[in-house]
Amino acid sequence: MARFPSLTRPHTTRIAEADSVAVIGLGRFGSSLALELMNSGVEVLGIDGNEEVVQTHNTLLTHVVRADSTKEDVLRQLAVHEFDRVVLAIGGDLQASILTASLLLKLKIPTIWAKAVSDQHGEILQQLGIHHIVYPEKDMGQRVAHLVRGAMEDYLEIGENFALVKTTPPNSILGVPMSQTGVRANYGITVTAFHRPGAGWTYTSLDTVLQEGDHVLIAGAPDRVEAFSQLR
Ligand code: ATP
């Protein structure tokens, strides 16, 4: 028997516009992602099996439908196959995630993003052929570990041994034009931008002279940016 036997709102109009995205599963991750897409002007079709969740998002997304995404006829009725981009944001219910993933591939959605809650889950999604797999809990855990360990205020690993970090500059480079600080040669990092209270963020140039109270955005290998952040 279907867990979500009926749709609360039958699909009568064409939902998929050129730039729109369908988000399946409006838990914390799916909801936050859908709302951020809406904030940036993207039309979003939200699908969730939980009536309460659907009600909560009713006025927040372009369309919200209560439906079971593991049913092919339901996805077709919602014209999910007309979307170029679909985000599968079901994590905890592995069976629902895998069944929905295989249906989305069957519907030949050009770009599918899926959330994985473990390495094994991600591996299964990858073997199925899902195009982009994200690990929100794992990624955030790793990111926070870097913040907890070092003096970094923000940490973003770009991949392939490269990270962007927000931190405070060490005293040794304050009052010195960037061209003379030797940060790249001495520390193996690049100071890409700086923030000055009242002035906001600006790109650094060779003439930039950092002052006390400034923050910097540095780029480089994770061990190098971390070591640079520890300097006082
Ligand atoms: P989060 O961490 O993002 O809150 P989660 O991984 O803890 O999510 P899940 O169990 O993955 O929680 O559920 C995310 C959402 O997906 C829930 O709101 C749930 O109602 C919805 N959902 C689960 N299975 C289905 C399904 N088969 N069809 C539609 N929606 C579903």
Side-chain angles (χ1 to χ4, degrees):
M1 198 174 78
R3 265 175 66 203
F4 312 117
S6 65
L7 305 179
T8 50
R9 189 195 303 182
H11 175 70
T12 49
T13 54
R14 189 173 182 277
I15 299 173
E17 298 299 336
D19 193 33
S20 52
V21 175
V23 178
I24 301 176
L26 298 170
R28 289 160 298 182
F29 174 73
S31 170
S32 150
L33 182 136
L35 294 174
E36 191 63 23
L37 286 170
M38 290 294 291
N39 274 343
S40 51
V42 176
E43 307 243 299
V44 176
L45 164 66
I47 300 172
D48 199 288
N50 184 312
E51 180 62 34
E52 229 173 275
V53 173
V54 169
Q55 292 297 337
T56 310
H57 291 83
N58 227 347
T59 54
L60 305 175
L61 306 181
T62 319
H63 296 270
V64 197
V65 183
R66 176 178 168 247
D68 182 356
S69 62
T70 63
K71 303 276 174 276
E72 184 175 346
D73 55 337
V74 167
L75 294 183
R76 287 195 186 278
Q77 201 186 343
L78 292 170
V80 169
H81 56 283
E82 291 182 19
F83 283 78
D84 288 338
R85 291 172 297 171
V86 175
V87 181
L88 172 52
I90 299 172
D93 187 340
L94 279 189
Q95 186 171 329
S97 163
I98 291 161
L99 285 174
T100 307
S102 92
L103 284 177
L104 293 174
L105 288 162
K106 188 176 174 190
L107 294 178
K108 300 204 171 1
I109 311 287
T111 310
I112 306 169
W113 292 78
K115 159 185 157 159
V117 291
S118 64
D119 288 342
Q120 292 100 317
H121 183 196
E123 228 167 88
I124 294 169
L125 292 171
Q126 195 177 15
Q127 279 163 7
L128 282 174
I130 293 297
H131 315 116
H132 303 280
I133 300 160
V134 291
Y135 301 82
E137 282 94 355
K138 186 177 157 187
D139 289 351
M140 188 49 87
Q142 286 174 348
R143 192 169 162 201
V144 173
H146 283 280
L147 300 183
V148 168
R149 208 167 58 217
M152 298 174 277
E153 293 168 24
D154 213 344
Y155 178 93
L156 182 63
E157 194 151 338
I158 309 292
E160 289 169 36
N161 207 29
F162 201 76
L164 269 180
V165 163
K166 181 186 168 196
T167 186
T168 45
N171 292 331
S172 60
I173 70 166
L174 299 182
V176 184
M178 201 53 72
S179 57
Q180 292 168 33
T181 55
V183 283
R184 210 175 285 190
N186 297 334
Y187 306 109
I189 60 103
T190 303
V191 181
T192 60
F194 69 104
H195 180 274
R196 183 154 298 160
W201 282 98
T202 323
Y203 297 112
T204 49
S205 70
L206 292 175
D207 303 326
T208 299
V209 178
L210 294 172
Q211 300 171 3
E212 190 155 359
D214 287 350
H215 287 83
V216 285
L217 187 64
I218 60 173
D223 55 338
R224 296 297 190 95
V225 289
E226 193 158 343
F228 184 80
S229 302
Q230 306 276 13
L231 299 172
R232 283 287 159 261

